[in-house]
């Protein structure tokens, strides 16, 4: 039996790869349309499209989930499953009805916690020690479908959203393969989600603004969770800077005030404790150590950030 895979970003590529290597017949790959990027605004293909074309798979890039030509093509395939991994669009009732067996989603959290578009980032921002992966049946509600399988994964103290996403993406493929096998032989029984749902809304660029009144430990988690997108940022001497690597340290100080400068870093007051800045990126510049930044710019103790 065949399947149609829906996915777009780098996170989804290992899942598609695992399905192919497990012998699944991927009849088509549905992905987002190419997007203009950079100053040249040259269209760039989603990572899933690039991988699919390398494997000789048929790629569909419908402008919407209501596009009639796409819907007819999907229904003509008559897939056993549609498998969705970070596709980036809400599927319509007609799309969900296309597979003969089930529409299946891989979600990067332990549902019902962190429903929504940015579960990995919010788990790190909130200082969680553990997260995981869930395969589920897709319904019209936001990540509300019955749970098929779950797998727990720890969050390391130095994880960023990027490093955690990489590990989860590699683990997602085998979990999907196991899920489809279990649905076929009847060994997996869908289980309704319980209560206690939390949400992980899509992050916007402005969400990365650092609020220095928060506790240093919270800001440390915030910087990690905002990497790589949208990036935790503040302003120093009128220059916008992204904070890339920090550390929560003891100490007092007015929130946003530079309290101490050393050869390797600088410490900023917060609502509780200090945030030591170790690595950053000035707007329009390269990522650099705090030491290199301090050598190239005049930042004084007592300066106010933000």
């Amino acid at each position: 039996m065949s399947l149609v895979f829906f996915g777009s970003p780098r996170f989804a590529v290992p899942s598609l790869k695992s399905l192919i290597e497990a012998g699944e017949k991927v009849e088509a790959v549905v992905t987002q349309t190419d997007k203009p990027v950079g100053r040249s605004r040259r269209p760039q293909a989603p990572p899933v499209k690039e991988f699919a074309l390398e494997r000789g798979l048929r790629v569909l890039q419908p402008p919407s989930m209501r596009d009639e030509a796409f819907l007819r093509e999907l229904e003509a395939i008559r897939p056993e499953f549609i498998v969705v991994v970070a596709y980036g669009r809400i599927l319509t009732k007609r799309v969900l009805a296309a597979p003969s067996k089930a529409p299946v989603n891989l979600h990067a959290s332990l549902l019902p916690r962190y429903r929504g578009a940015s579960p990995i980032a919010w788990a790190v921002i909130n200082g969680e020690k553990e997260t995981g992966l869930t395969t589920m049946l897709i319904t019209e509600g936001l990540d509300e479908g019955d749970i098929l399988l779950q797998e727990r994964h720890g969050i390391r103290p130095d994880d960023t959203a990027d490093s955690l996403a990489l590990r989860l993406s590699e683990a997602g493929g085998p979990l999907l393969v196991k899920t489809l096998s279990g649905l076929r032989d009847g060994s997996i029984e869908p289980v309704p989600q319980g209560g206690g749902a939390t949400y992980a809304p899509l992050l916007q660029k402005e969400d990365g603004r650092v609020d220095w009144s928060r506790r240093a430990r919270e800001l440390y988690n915030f910087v990690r969770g905002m990497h790589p997108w949208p990036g935790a940022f503040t302003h120093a001497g009128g220059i916008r800077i992204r904070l890339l690597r920090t550390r929560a340290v003891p100490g007092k100080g007015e929130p946003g005030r530079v309290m101490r400068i050393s050869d390797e870093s600088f410490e900023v007051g917060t609502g509780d404790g200090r945030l030591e800045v170790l690595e950053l990126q000035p707007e329009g510049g390269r990522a650099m150590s705090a030491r290199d930044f301090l050598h190239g710019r005049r930042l004084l103790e007592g300066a106010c950030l933000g």
Side-chain angles (χ1 to χ4, degrees):
M1 299 291 285
S2 64
L3 66 85
V4 175
F5 184 88
F6 288 64
S8 299
R10 181 183 64 170
F11 181 87
V13 171
S15 291
L16 178 56
K17 183 172 184 286
S18 291
L19 291 169
I20 294 169
E21 292 177 350
E24 295 287 352
K25 187 178 180 183
V26 181
E27 288 285 358
V29 172
V30 183
T31 189
Q32 294 265 18
T33 55
D34 296 3
K35 298 290 194 301
V37 297
R39 293 179 179 177
S40 68
R41 309 304 291 165
R42 182 175 301 167
Q44 181 172 314
V48 163
K49 176 183 177 179
E50 294 177 343
F51 178 82
L53 292 177
E54 289 172 3
R55 293 301 182 99
L57 299 174
R58 176 167 37 151
V59 173
L60 307 177
Q61 294 180 280
S64 82
M65 289 290 94
R66 299 185 185 279
D67 182 75
E68 187 62 31
F70 161 70
L71 291 169
R72 286 198 300 268
E73 190 166 5
L74 176 64
E75 289 164 349
I77 293 171
R78 300 177 61 84
E80 180 188 20
F81 293 102
I82 61 172
V83 176
V84 181
V85 183
Y87 172 55
R89 280 191 177 137
I90 295 174
L91 305 189
T92 62
K93 186 180 294 187
R94 189 169 165 188
V95 172
L96 295 178
S100 61
K101 190 169 289 290
V104 175
N105 175 239
L106 173 72
H107 187 76
S109 80
L110 296 173
L111 291 170
R113 291 181 59 78
Y114 295 109
R115 293 174 177 171
S118 303
I120 297 173
W122 283 106
V124 176
I125 290 167
N126 290 338
E128 301 283 5
K129 300 295 189 296
E130 182 184 64
T131 187
L133 294 164
T134 301
T135 52
M136 55 175 282
L137 298 178
I138 307 173
T139 64
E140 291 185 84
L142 178 63
D143 298 326
E144 295 176 1
D146 289 354
I147 292 171
L148 301 171
L149 291 176
Q150 288 191 315
E151 190 173 271
R152 295 179 179 274
H153 290 268
I155 299 178
R156 299 168 185 166
D158 60 346
D159 262 330
T160 63
D162 195 41
S163 64
L164 179 57
L166 181 61
R167 289 205 310 281
L168 292 178
S169 70
E170 292 295 336
L175 189 65
L176 272 172
V177 170
K178 186 177 179 181
T179 297
L180 299 189
S181 176
L183 286 173
R184 287 188 177 110
D185 64 23
S187 61
I188 293 178
E189 192 70 33
V191 177
Q193 294 187 33
T198 61
Y199 295 88
L202 181 68
L203 290 170
Q204 307 294 332
K205 190 171 184 179
E206 189 61 24
D207 292 331
R209 184 182 298 275
V210 174
D211 177 0
W212 291 106
S213 68
R214 296 174 64 182
R215 297 169 59 242
R217 185 69 194 181
E218 292 175 347
L219 290 176
Y220 168 71
N221 293 334
F222 180 80
V223 170
R224 295 188 300 123
M226 287 288 170
H227 182 76
W229 169 260
F233 70 90
T234 189
H235 289 80
I239 300 168
R240 178 173 168 138
I241 59 173
R242 287 184 61 178
L243 305 183
L244 302 179
R245 190 164 61 90
T246 63
R247 181 165 53 201
V249 296
K252 297 182 179 180
E254 179 186 345
R257 186 78 63 186
V258 178
M259 305 305 300
R260 179 176 179 271
I261 294 178
S262 68
D263 289 341
E264 303 295 331
S265 65
F266 59 93
E267 296 176 10
V268 185
T270 72
D272 181 16
R274 294 180 184 178
L275 191 71
E276 183 179 17
V277 179
L278 302 166
E279 188 176 346
L280 53 84
Q281 183 176 8
E283 188 170 26
R286 61 176 178 83
M288 64 180 66
S289 65
R291 177 178 183 174
D292 288 346
F293 177 78
L294 292 168
H295 284 176
R297 301 180 188 276
R298 187 170 177 80
L299 183 68
L300 301 176
E301 290 183 2
C304 194
L305 305 186

